[in-house]
Amino acid sequence: MELLWQAQRVHRAANPGYHVQLASLLSVKTGGCEEDCAYCPQSLHNSSDVTGRPELEVEPVLARARAAKQAGAHRFCMGWAWREIRDGAPFEAMLAMVRGVRELGLEACVTAGMLSDAQAERLAEAGLTAYNHNLDTSPEHYDRIITTRTYQERLETLQRVRSAGISMCCGGIIGMGESPSDRAGLLEVLANLDPHPESVPINALVAVEGTPLEALPPVDPLELVRMVAVARILMPIARVRLSAGREQLNREAQILCLLAGADSIFYGDTLLTTGNPAVEADRELLAAAGVQMR
């Protein structure tokens, strides 16, 4: 209760009037990723790999962006299951998608793995609002989750994003067998980035069959509330995004997360490849909580 009280004081100062941003997420290139992330159904190392869906082209993606805007979204996020961005036609298509999303009046966010300085500069020139690159967990727990990319490589990617003048979207996942100290360690790393990430997604593991973490139990909702609250206290003006795992939460638990400092939710029926509450259910939830959308 003391933690909630402290988080509430910080949140009210940073977010007067309780506004929540709605973001929509689309998987442009699904499956076949070379990384071995233990939680991910898109890794070619896992039997859950969902390879086989064709990579989306520019116009269908922009059609989805227009639909997301019509449904009330303010940010449109696009994901590519890559270890790193590849130059050539796929990258040129990504740039066209970013330009198109921005022309619709939406914020544009991309998550596509590691990138070079030159690629970051070109994304900035195209108008990219934010680049998502999560740290996932603490430095100490990281090797138990991912072995194909180092923690330092993730930090270097974030620095390239920052150097190009693009907003940073960076958070993590709880429920992957980590300790409370690991959760604190992740938040400590994020809070020591200077400046703080503009956006901090807090995810609860969705244990997908065919991944190494498939047998892990769902996260206790109060643990997600605690994670959101501490993120809000440590990073007062960051947008704390209540992300994957919301389907496991009843509406009271989601409202507690909003009370604790979450000021964004991902909006739409899917998050890349996992489920998400329906749009109408989210509208009803926010209306019941008296939260304004922006």
Side-chain angles (χ1 to χ4, degrees), residues 26-29 54-66 76-80 82 89-110 123 126-129:
L26 175 67
S27 180
V28 178
K29 190 270 181 183
E55 186 169 337
L56 298 179
E57 297 184 358
V58 175
E59 187 46 47
V61 169
L62 296 183
R64 292 286 293 272
R66 285 189 286 270
F76 190 71
C77 307
M78 296 165 281
W80 281 258
W82 288 341
F91 184 47
E92 298 303 320
M94 178 189 294
L95 295 171
M97 291 172 196
V98 170
R99 288 190 288 266
V101 169
R102 297 293 285 138
E103 286 168 4
L104 291 172
L106 292 167
E107 294 182 4
C109 181
V110 161
L123 284 165
L128 185 66
T129 309

Side-chain angles (χ1 to χ4, degrees), residues 17 75 83 130 133 189 195 213 220 242 287-288:
R75 175 179 286 212
R83 185 174 188 272
H133 198 68
V189 173
L213 303 183
D220 182 334
L242 188 57

Side-chain angles (χ1 to χ4, degrees), residues 143-280:
D143 288 348
R144 300 180 189 177
I145 304 300
I146 303 160
T147 67
T148 50
R149 187 190 324 180
T150 67
Y151 211 79
Q152 183 58 36
E153 285 175 314
R154 288 183 181 264
L155 292 171
E156 289 169 0
T157 294
L158 293 173
Q159 186 54 52
R160 290 188 182 99
V161 169
R162 182 66 80 197
S163 296
I166 300 169
S167 292
M168 184 189 299
C169 179
C170 183
I173 307 169
I174 66 171
M176 299 192 297
E178 76 283 346
S179 67
S181 293
D182 288 315
R183 295 176 187 175
L186 168 64
L187 291 174
E188 181 181 17
V189 173
L190 292 170
N192 276 289
L193 295 174
D194 186 18
H196 293 153
E198 287 81 3
S199 172
V200 180
I202 302 296
N203 300 274
L205 175 70
V206 178
V208 177
E209 185 178 354
T211 65
L213 303 183
E214 64 180 355
L216 288 180
V219 172
D220 182 334
L222 291 183
E223 294 303 309
L224 196 60
V225 173
R226 286 189 176 95
M227 195 72 177
V228 168
V230 178
R232 173 54 64 209
I233 292 167
L234 292 176
M235 294 168 280
I237 63 171
R239 195 176 289 284
V240 178
R241 299 185 183 277
L242 188 57
S243 303
R246 278 203 303 126
E247 276 200 316
Q248 304 168 22
L249 306 178
N250 63 25
R251 76 174 193 167
E252 289 77 16
Q254 293 186 68
I255 288 173
L256 272 179
C257 287
L258 296 175
L259 189 72
D263 59 351
S264 176
I265 60 173
F266 279 100
Y267 194 56
D269 298 337
T270 57
L271 293 178
L272 295 181
T273 60
T274 57
N276 198 49
V279 166
E280 193 54 43

